Amino acid sequence: MRWFDTHCHLDRLPGALPVGEALRRAHDAGVGRFLVPGVTGMPLLSVGDFQNEKIHWAWGVHPGFIEKTHICGSEDTPWQASGTRLSAIGECGLD
């Protein structure tokens, strides 16, 4: 069985952990797909690191970052140019 991590911040990894290494570790643990929620609108990303059909994106706002939030569609970001599509509305801070 393959797991789907529905809330992981691959765009905010600790230290200098490369995305590829995090994905390898997750795969070894049985995780096959990922949902990356943004906390200030769209998740932060380097387009080259995230061109992967196993990674899904969610636009989201976390109350702790509300003052830094971008209105969806108002910013010119790499994900728009890459054709990345949003899969969900994520981080809403209700927890």
Side-chain angles (χ1 to χ4, degrees), residues 26-94:
H27 182 269
D28 291 350
V31 180
R33 292 196 177 270
F34 310 86
L35 181 71
V36 180
V39 297
T40 61
M42 190 62 189
L44 305 171
L45 69 120
S46 167
V47 174
D49 287 338
F50 293 98
Q51 291 299 314
N52 187 325
E53 70 279 355
K54 296 178 181 180
I55 300 173
H56 303 268
W57 303 100
W59 189 92
V61 177
H62 188 283
F65 295 91
I66 195 91
E67 71 282 350
K68 297 178 182 178
T69 298
H70 305 286
I71 302 302
C72 190
S74 69
E75 67 269 22
D76 183 22
T77 59
W79 64 269
Q80 290 170 318
S82 74
T84 300
R85 300 183 67 114
L86 293 173
S87 297
I89 296 174
E91 189 75 70
C92 62
L94 294 178

